[in-house]
Amino acid sequence: MTKSIILGAAILGLATTAPVLSQQAGPTPGEALNLLVGEWSGTGWALDREGQEQTFDVFETVRVAAGGHAVYMIGEGFSPTGAGRNGRSTHAAAGLVTASEQGLSMRAVTHEGQMQDVPLVLNETGFTWQIDLGPGGHIAYSATVTADRWEETGAFCPPAGECRQFLFMQLQPIAD
């Protein structure tokens, strides 16, 4: 698995607050994830292959589609921090969230065309998800969103030992 699918999946993170994300919030992703809908921007950092922290500007677009039965997201990152969308592209990814009897799931797609379906687990402050790396462990993500802040972390979790954080993002909604 490449770094870009890991980071791409992280950028496609979702979350919301308890009143919106309770299991009784409604049957559609559009109802469950309505606090995310709109434009977001912020900054973040990720560890590169050498373990060095690399900062970036991040932009997220979240829209409801298909009468609320789907939510799509587009995430883009640019470096250096402060350059906005005029910087060098560090990542680009898209996601489509749908619901089934098993709950919410997201199909994440990176700019390299890699795809992975991941279940999303709702909680009181947002939700979590994991990417299975087989015998290599897994990547664990956690996202929390309020009306004015979206924070997300990512950590690599080896089969034995403690998880190690490699990603942090903080975004704010862009005013209309």
Side-chain angles (χ1 to χ4, degrees), residues 16-22 121-127 144-145:
T16 185
T17 59
V20 178
L21 266 185
S22 70
V121 179
L122 303 177
N123 61 44
E124 291 180 10
T125 61
F127 71 77
T144 303
V145 172

Side-chain angles (χ1 to χ4, degrees), residues 30-87:
E31 292 168 334
L33 303 173
N34 67 359
L35 190 59
L36 285 176
V37 173
E39 303 284 331
W40 297 77
S41 70
T43 60
W45 61 263
L47 299 180
D48 64 17
R49 293 182 190 267
E50 290 78 38
Q52 300 298 310
E53 188 176 292
Q54 303 297 319
T55 61
F56 53 85
D57 292 325
V58 63
F59 300 89
E60 295 279 344
T61 300
V62 181
R63 297 283 182 257
V64 174
H69 296 283
V71 171
Y72 70 89
M73 295 151 294
I74 299 170
E76 300 175 287
F78 300 91
S79 184
T81 303
R85 288 189 162 113
N86 294 320

Side-chain angles (χ1 to χ4, degrees), residues 156-164:
F156 168 71
C157 302
E162 293 187 28
C163 296
R164 295 184 308 269

Side-chain angles (χ1 to χ4, degrees), residues 76-136:
E76 300 175 287
F78 300 91
S79 184
T81 303
R85 288 189 162 113
N86 294 320
R88 176 184 52 83
S89 177
T90 58
H91 55 269
L96 180 67
V97 178
T98 58
S100 70
E101 291 179 8
Q102 290 77 36
L104 295 179
S105 65
M106 177 176 62
R107 172 158 286 183
V109 183
T110 69
H111 69 275
E112 292 97 357
Q114 297 169 320
M115 289 185 278
Q116 187 166 40
D117 294 325
V118 295
L120 302 176
V121 179
L122 303 177
N123 61 44
E124 291 180 10
T125 61
F127 71 77
T128 63
W129 69 102
Q130 293 185 17
I131 296 177
D132 183 18
L133 302 176

